[in-house]
Amino acid sequence: MLRATSLFITLGLSHSAWALVPPDYQEPPSDFSAEIEAGLQINTGNTESSSFNGRTKLVYDTDDFRQEGVFKAYFASDSEKTTSEKYDVQLQSSYKIYSGYIFARGDFTEDRFGSYTRISTVSTGYGFDAISDDSTKLSLEVGPGYRYNLPQVSESVPDPEADREIILRTAAKFEQKIHEYTSFNADLTAETGESNSTVTLDMSYKNTLFQDWAFKIGMNVKYTEVVPEGSKQTDTVTTFNLLYTFK
């Protein structure tokens, strides 16, 4: 009798649980999402070197606002010294309106071995979605800004002065979902000033491996019109990373 009563209670509770939580139940979409990726390379034997790069992207997207932050780090060294060390921070806050959005943005770079060791840009402006559907999205932005560039120290200029100027920033952000597990992104940004101009192309190809894990290939190309003597105008960074996404 006791066993029959226990079985009845168990079946009753199970039926109630299924009634409260249907088998096809899914968590409601979250306003918050994040991406964390990293890549590591170590060479030994004839060549002793190592390199690391990491990136974190945080997004809080509501009906009225979108807050986005991207943090990047690059490091490389050989058996004798550090050969590359760079940190990027990108912050943007957007207020959505009927025809698009109004944004305020900050871009900050510390580059130990770059032609400019410290770059800070703040800008504001207007953006809108030129294309927006399930597979393709193209956003365009334009607005004024202010840029601070500190050149690298050299033998000819041991104490360089920072360049400060008003700029016009324009950007195009493209996202293409090739199929369910593969996507391609490309961001093109131009900053035009009276004494210097830059163009940056940031591309990535992402292929989902399983669930929230993906393999990502990225390339960042930046062209600077005016650089200190002895520096190159174009900088390129290529990455091969494992990426994890959660919401």
Side-chain angles (χ1 to χ4, degrees), residues 121-141:
T121 304
V122 291
S123 59
T124 185
Y126 171 76
F128 68 97
D129 293 334
I131 303 174
S132 183
D133 56 39
D134 293 338
S135 60
T136 306
K137 184 175 180 180
L138 174 62
S139 300
L140 303 177
E141 297 179 351

Side-chain angles (χ1 to χ4, degrees), residues 81-93:
K81 61 184 182 302
T82 299
T83 57
S84 175
E85 186 176 355
K86 181 180 178 182
Y87 306 96
D88 288 333
V89 178
Q90 301 166 357
L91 304 172
Q92 180 163 327
S93 178

